[in-house]
Every structure is written in C-alpha cells, then in structure tokens.
C-alpha cells in the first residue's frame, strides 16, 4: 500500500450538539487525526485540547500498550490511544512524533481530565532541554499545504565567553546587555535588528545567545519569513500566539534571517506585493 496516497473520507456522527460531518483529503500517515475527530463526535466527548513541545523521545514505545491504531511514515509516527483505564470513561489521546516534536490532542468528558492526560503524555515524552554538553533544542517553523508546522532539532552551541573575542570591542559592548543574566525583554516583546554582511558571525552569536538564555527562553526559527510577512495571516498568528509548551514564565525568541526588505516601510513594493 502506498502510504502517501490520499483518499476522500466522510464521517458522520450523532452527538449531543447535532449531526456533524468531517470531510478531509487524507494522507494515510495522518489518518489518526480523522479517527480521533470521528471518535470525539461519535462518543459525544465534550472537551478537547492540544499541545506540542520539543521532546527528547524518539519512539512511541512508552504509550504503545494503550494504542488503538498506529501509523508510521519516514517522518511521522502517530498513535491513537485509549486512556480510559487511566483517566476515566471515554478519554482519548492522539500523539504524533515528527522531527523531535511531540504533538498531542486529548479528549475527555470532564474538563479537569485534560491537563491530567497532557501531564501523563509529557512524562511519556519528556520535553527536550539544554544539556551540559551545550546542546539546545530549536523549533523550526515553515508553512506548507497543511498550514503552519514545526519540527525540533537539537544543535550544538558555543558560550558567549568562548566567542566574544571574535567580535570588535564596540559590538561586544552593544551585545553585553543581551547576554547579561539580568536581561529581561520589555513588556509585550522586543525587536532586535541584527544586521551585517554575510560571514560576520551573526548566526554564531545567535547560537551563543540561545545558550545564555537557555534557562528562560525557547528558540524558534522561521524558515520562510517571506511567507510569514506575506499573504498568510494565519501563519503569522500561529507563530506569534503559539503556546505549545504551556509555560507562561518562559520567553520565546523568534529568529527571522534575511528579512531586511520585509521589515522596511515599503516592504510590499520591494517584494512585489504593492
């Protein structure tokens, strides 16, 4: 069977709020998404939630004993879980692993069960954290046929102390407040314009910043900033408002490279949209 083939699937289910229909163009590795939605409607489950986070887990082994169905492709593994024995009647979960990111959807008849199920899944798929050997998780955003998606990778980074002497004194003085442990962004966020010719160490310095901020900040890299600032308003909202880790205390650093013309006052004219 070609797992990349698609099929038109229609699901109708009776629920307390009436008859609803699901109609999707499906790729078989993502069949669990529609199965999850169909069961939520069929069983009249009132409450759902979703979350995603970078994870150090690389397999679904921890939850396979609870799997109703599984799906695998070269890039994605997913499992639809019956967690009723753990959390009560009609509780469901869908978990997917893709590129170092755990994405979960949970459903329960009682609202209080949702954070309990998510907490259990976070224990099964531990969030990735910066390690002592200076490996930092980074989330990479892109926009495709299914909308905004994110995958996570762990990359090696230097400390600022190791590389600071590679930069001119004046630049080191400008960067010192950013890498200082007492730094806090302004209320509502802060824009940092980092510019210079290619090969001057901008990306390397950003990697060092990721290490210095590791205890309080998650790094997100937008692969296609021209789409983010283009016609896809849903993409911009998804990236800016994303709260996948659920931790209100941590910051999010959004990195957009080569975006000078996209931030200019005449950006639309420069990019041919004016």
């Amino acid at each position: 069977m070609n797992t990349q083939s698609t099929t038109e699937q229609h699901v109708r289910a009776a629920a307390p709020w009436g008859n609803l229909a699901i109609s999707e163009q499906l790729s078989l590795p993502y069949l669990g998404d529609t199965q999850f939605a169909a069961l939520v409607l069929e069983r009249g489950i009132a409450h759902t939630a979703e979350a995603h986070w970078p994870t150090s887990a690389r397999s679904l082994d921890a939850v396979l004993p609870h799997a109703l169905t599984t799906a695998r492709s070269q890039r994605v593994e997913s499992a639809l879980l019956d967690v009723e024995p753990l959390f009560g009647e009609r509780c469901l979960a869908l978990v997917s692993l893709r590129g170092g990111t755990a994405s979960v959807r949970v459903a329960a008849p009682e609202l209080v069960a949702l954070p309990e199920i998510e907490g259990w899944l976070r224990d099964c798929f531990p969030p990735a954290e910066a390690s002592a050997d200076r490996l930092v998780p980074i989330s990479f955003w892109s926009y495709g046929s299914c909308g905004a998606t994110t995958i996570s990778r762990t990359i090696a980074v230097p400390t600022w102390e190791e590389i600071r002497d590679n930069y001119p004194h004046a630049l080191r003085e400008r960067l010192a407040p950013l890498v200082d442990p007492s730094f806090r962004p302004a209320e509502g966020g802060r824009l940092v314009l980092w510019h210079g010719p290619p090969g001057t160490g901008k990306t390397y310095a950003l990697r060092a910043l990721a290490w210095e901020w590791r205890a309080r900040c998650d790094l997100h890299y937008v692969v296609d900033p021209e789409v983010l600032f283009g016609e896809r308003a849903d993409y911009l909202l998804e990236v800016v408002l994303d709260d996948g880790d659920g931790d209100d205390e941590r910051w999010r650093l959004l990195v957009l490279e080569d975006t000078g013309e996209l931030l200019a006052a005449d950006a639309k004219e420069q990019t041919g949209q004016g």
Side-chain angles (χ1 to χ4, degrees):
M1 179 182 293
N2 180 4
T3 60
Q4 297 304 314
S5 64
T6 59
T7 182
E8 190 76 19
Q9 175 159 324
H10 299 271
V11 179
R12 293 190 179 274
W17 47 85
N19 290 328
L20 298 177
I22 302 171
S23 180
E24 291 190 70
Q25 193 74 13
L26 294 176
S27 177
L28 289 183
Y30 296 93
L31 184 59
D33 293 81
T34 298
Q35 292 173 323
F36 176 82
L39 286 175
V40 168
L41 294 177
E42 178 184 317
R43 299 179 181 182
I45 303 175
H47 304 287
T48 63
E50 61 180 324
H52 59 86
W53 59 88
T55 180
S56 56
R58 291 297 178 264
S59 78
L60 297 172
D61 292 350
V63 297
L64 288 182
H66 305 280
L68 295 173
T69 64
T70 65
R72 291 172 173 80
S73 70
Q74 288 184 328
R75 295 188 299 171
V76 183
E77 290 184 75
S78 66
L80 178 63
L81 310 176
D82 175 12
V83 292
E84 183 173 307
L86 299 176
F87 300 101
E89 185 180 2
R90 293 184 293 153
C91 289
L92 292 171
L94 176 69
V95 59
S96 300
L97 288 181
R98 180 177 184 268
T101 297
S103 300
V104 304
R105 295 179 181 177
V106 297
E110 301 296 333
L111 193 61
V112 294
L114 297 181
E116 295 177 0
I117 302 172
E118 182 183 328
W120 173 70
L121 289 169
R122 286 181 181 270
D123 289 338
C124 294
F125 303 97
E129 297 179 352
S131 61
D133 50 359
R134 297 206 302 276
L135 296 175
V136 173
I138 297 180
S139 296
F140 292 87
W141 287 87
S142 61
Y143 195 93
S145 59
C146 295
T149 59
T150 178
I151 62 172
S152 296
R153 292 286 185 270
T154 301
I155 66 169
V157 296
T159 67
W160 176 242
E161 189 65 27
E162 288 176 329
I163 66 171
R164 65 187 304 275
D165 290 339
N166 296 334
Y167 298 87
H169 176 76
L171 181 57
R172 294 200 303 267
E173 292 296 309
R174 295 290 298 274
L175 293 179
L178 280 179
V179 298
D180 189 281
S182 64
F183 173 81
R184 296 292 183 274
E187 184 69 25
R190 182 169 181 174
L191 177 65
V192 178
L193 297 178
W194 203 295
H195 61 90
T200 53
K202 300 185 298 296
T203 300
Y204 210 48
L206 275 172
R207 290 189 174 199
L209 190 63
W211 176 255
E212 303 302 335
W213 286 5
R214 66 193 182 281
R216 55 190 184 275
C217 181
D218 297 318
L219 184 60
H220 295 252
Y221 185 98
V222 178
V223 175
D224 46 4
E226 72 285 354
V227 180
L228 186 78
F229 289 116
E231 300 298 324
R232 305 304 317 193
D234 58 326
Y235 186 21
L236 180 61
L237 289 173
E238 180 76 14
V239 172
V240 172
L241 300 180
D242 174 68
D243 188 27
D245 57 16
D247 188 346
D248 294 335
E249 299 300 319
R250 293 183 66 81
W251 324 332
R252 297 172 66 240
L253 174 62
L254 302 180
V255 178
L256 300 92
E257 289 195 284
D258 301 323
T259 55
E261 72 277 9
L262 301 176
L263 296 174
D266 58 347
K268 287 193 173 182
E269 287 75 11
Q270 291 192 39
T271 56
Q273 299 179 38

